[in-house]
Amino acid sequence: MIVRSITNRWRSEQISWDELWLTQAYLMSMRSRCSRDRVGAVIVNAQNELVGAGYNGAAPTDQHDTGGWCRDWCERAKTYPRGQSAPANGYVDCPSSHAEINALLRRHGDLSGAAIYITALPCYNCAKFIAACHSTDGLSRVVVPHDGLPAYREPDTVLGYLGDCGLQVDRIVVP
């Protein structure tokens, strides 16, 4: 686990800002009750101050969400458990808002020069929303873990799109 790896070295060296904020995103992901994939995101402004955070999950007002894991009430999670590929239609049947969207909707302050740290590569729809925040609010950087770019997230398409939109995309290795 990323938190344990960084904690083990806290006495010997200072972690980087990227390691710190990606670890914060992993901590946010632990709030998710999604049984398929727990994703977290944090937004940091140009002064390295946290200005937004979110995780994937159903809206608080979703009448089907009874407070348990989504596999208890979500047909998508029941049909396609963790580790199984979901249908080719992407996320159209997913009742959750993704971590990136939740973080961007709940942000405060100026995003000029800001970075979003995400525990997984964003899906294409989230990439479009991130790109919109780049062009309207100045979000400038996307940071994701170096590994864990599953094919169903279309990494070449998503990374290419974000880059074409002018965003800096960094894939970092976190111990």
Side-chain angles (χ1 to χ4, degrees):
M1 175 182 235
I2 187 172
V3 177
R4 181 175 295 145
S5 296
I6 289 176
T7 304
N8 288 341
R9 42 182 268 230
W10 75 275
R11 292 180 191 210
S12 62
E13 61 184 271
Q14 184 180 40
I15 64 172
S16 70
W17 284 111
D18 284 342
E19 290 171 322
L20 173 74
W21 296 123
L22 195 55
T23 300
Q24 287 290 100
Y26 276 104
L27 289 172
M28 283 303 298
S29 76
M30 296 171 83
R31 293 282 306 148
S32 174
R33 289 181 285 134
C34 178
S35 53
R36 287 191 45 79
D37 200 8
R38 298 171 89 178
V39 178
V42 297
I43 303 168
V44 179
N45 68 16
Q47 291 75 40
N48 263 324
E49 300 166 329
L50 183 67
V51 295
Y55 54 90
N56 60 319
T61 56
D62 190 315
Q63 74 256 9
H64 299 100
D65 184 357
T66 58
W69 289 92
C70 68
R71 68 177 166 256
D72 298 333
W73 56 271
C74 173
E75 287 306 315
R76 176 188 174 92
K78 289 178 187 177
T79 307
Y80 305 100
R82 183 174 180 85
Q84 276 189 18
S85 294
N89 66 351
Y91 295 96
V92 295
D93 61 339
C94 179
S96 290
S97 294
H98 290 187
E100 306 91 314
I101 303 299
N102 285 326
L104 288 164
L105 289 175
R106 291 177 175 85
R107 76 183 194 283
H108 57 86
D110 183 23
L111 287 186
S112 181
I116 184 167
Y117 292 80
I118 314 164
T119 61
L121 184 71
C123 70
Y124 192 71
N125 285 330
C126 288
K128 291 188 290 186
F129 197 79
I130 290 167
C133 289
H134 167 67
S135 63
T136 60
D137 298 319
L139 182 70
S140 64
R141 186 170 173 235
V142 179
V143 182
V144 296
H146 188 269
D147 56 350
L149 300 181
Y152 72 89
R153 287 193 182 260
E154 303 175 41
D156 292 337
T157 302
V158 170
L159 293 170
Y161 176 77
L162 292 170
D164 289 347
C165 290
L167 283 145
Q168 176 183 334
V169 180
D170 292 318
R171 296 171 54 201
I172 65 168
V173 176
V174 179

